[in-house]
Amino acid sequence: DAGVIQSPRHEVTEMGQEVTLRCKPISGHNSLFWYRQTMMRGLELLIYFNNNVPIDDSGMPEDRFSAKMPNASFSTLKIQPSEPRDSAVYFCASSPRISTDTQYFGPGTRLTVL
Amino acid sequence: ELKVEQNPLFLSMQEGKNYTIYCNYSTTSDRLYWYRQDPGKSLESLFVLLSNGAVKQEGRLMASLDTKARLSTLHITAAVHDLSATYFCAVIYYQLTFGKGTKLSVIP
């Protein structure tokens, strides 16, 4: 199994630009999670999906952030417009079931907003 | 709101020594996870502890769970340099909530 796949691995953009991060979960996993990791705030859950449906987006910092999961094998996290304080590592994780199974993390996308 | 607290946050230890990392959480939960993260890398699952009194061991690491005390420990035996990493505990309460992590440095 290829594991959770994220792209791009690194993204450098300028303030005000739109950024789209992509994730392919492990095949057969029904739950998908987006996290953000920074030195100051640690690991934060942004949003999670179960069977492609967003369940809890209370961790999304503001309206500039949006996430979609159009099918079981693909999800996107979009930031529009981006700001320097969005600079972080964004992880996608998937698990077989929503709240009781181990989550498997992707390699992460390191985002730098100048 | 669930709070997960780890201590210490930073740990520098010599090779061959033993030490314990503590994870306290604020709300009843019977499922706790330990993850490892190497610098610049992703998180790797180490242990899943499913019930009170659960103990799991892998190599030089042993994790235990006391749900009554809302406490988990990660014990390191005879540390080696390869164990240098950041260790996170995480607790399920509606969703997975992570502690801030313990950065472990094992010095020769």
Side-chain angles (χ1 to χ4, degrees):
Chain A
D1 198 327
V4 176
I5 299 171
Q6 291 186 247
S7 64
R9 296 293 305 278
H10 301 272
E11 177 82 25
V12 180
T13 190
E14 292 188 344
M15 182 174 63
Q17 297 297 307
E18 177 179 297
V19 176
T20 299
L21 311 181
R22 297 173 176 79
C23 175
K24 176 179 170 55
I26 294 172
S27 177
H29 282 193
N30 292 328
S31 301
L32 183 139
F33 308 80
W34 283 101
Y35 291 88
R36 178 172 67 177
Q37 186 178 37
T38 61
M39 288 294 293
M40 291 297 294
R41 301 176 67 91
L43 264 168
E44 301 174 279
L45 177 65
L46 300 177
I47 184 172
Y48 67 93
F49 295 83
N50 189 46
N51 292 324
N52 312 338
V53 176
I55 302 301
D56 185 349
D57 65 353
S58 60
M60 297 285 260
E62 48 197 276
D63 292 345
R64 297 184 297 105
F65 286 70
S66 63
K68 293 182 179 180
M69 191 165 186
N71 58 62
S73 59
F74 183 66
S75 177
T76 60
L77 178 67
K78 184 177 294 185
I79 308 172
Q80 167 63 20
S82 58
E83 296 183 3
R85 59 193 168 120
D86 301 331
S87 298
V89 179
Y90 291 81
F91 288 104
C92 175
S94 70
S95 72
R97 293 173 299 182
I98 190 166
S99 64
T100 58
D101 289 330
T102 298
Q103 293 182 18
Y104 296 86
F105 282 73
T109 295
R110 182 173 296 275
L111 173 64
T112 303
V113 183
L114 302 174
Chain B
E1 179 189 350
L2 173 62
K3 294 185 179 179
V4 181
E5 295 185 349
Q6 288 182 236
N7 72 83
L9 297 181
F10 298 92
L11 175 58
S12 180
M13 58 190 296
Q14 285 189 311
E15 280 190 333
K17 298 293 186 181
N18 303 333
Y19 209 83
T20 300
I21 299 171
Y22 297 89
C23 174
N24 289 91
Y25 53 98
S26 62
T27 303
T28 300
S29 175
D30 59 359
R31 188 176 294 260
L32 187 139
Y33 302 80
W34 283 97
Y35 283 85
R36 168 181 171 147
Q37 185 178 34
D38 291 304
K41 303 292 186 181
S42 186
L43 282 82
E44 173 190 358
S45 176
L46 292 174
F47 301 110
V48 181
L49 301 169
L50 301 178
S51 61
N52 187 43
V55 177
K56 289 200 174 178
Q57 184 164 3
E58 178 78 26
R60 300 173 187 275
L61 300 177
M62 183 174 71
S64 65
L65 178 62
D66 182 343
T67 58
K68 294 179 181 177
R70 298 179 187 170
L71 171 69
S72 179
T73 61
L74 181 65
H75 187 72
I76 304 155
T77 302
V80 293
H81 181 69
D82 286 351
L83 291 179
S84 297
T86 299
Y87 294 85
F88 293 91
C89 65
V91 179
I92 286 282
Y93 184 72
Y94 294 109
Q95 58 191 254
L96 198 58
T97 301
F98 283 82
K100 292 191 178 299
T102 297
K103 185 173 182 178
L104 171 65
S105 298
V106 181
I107 303 168

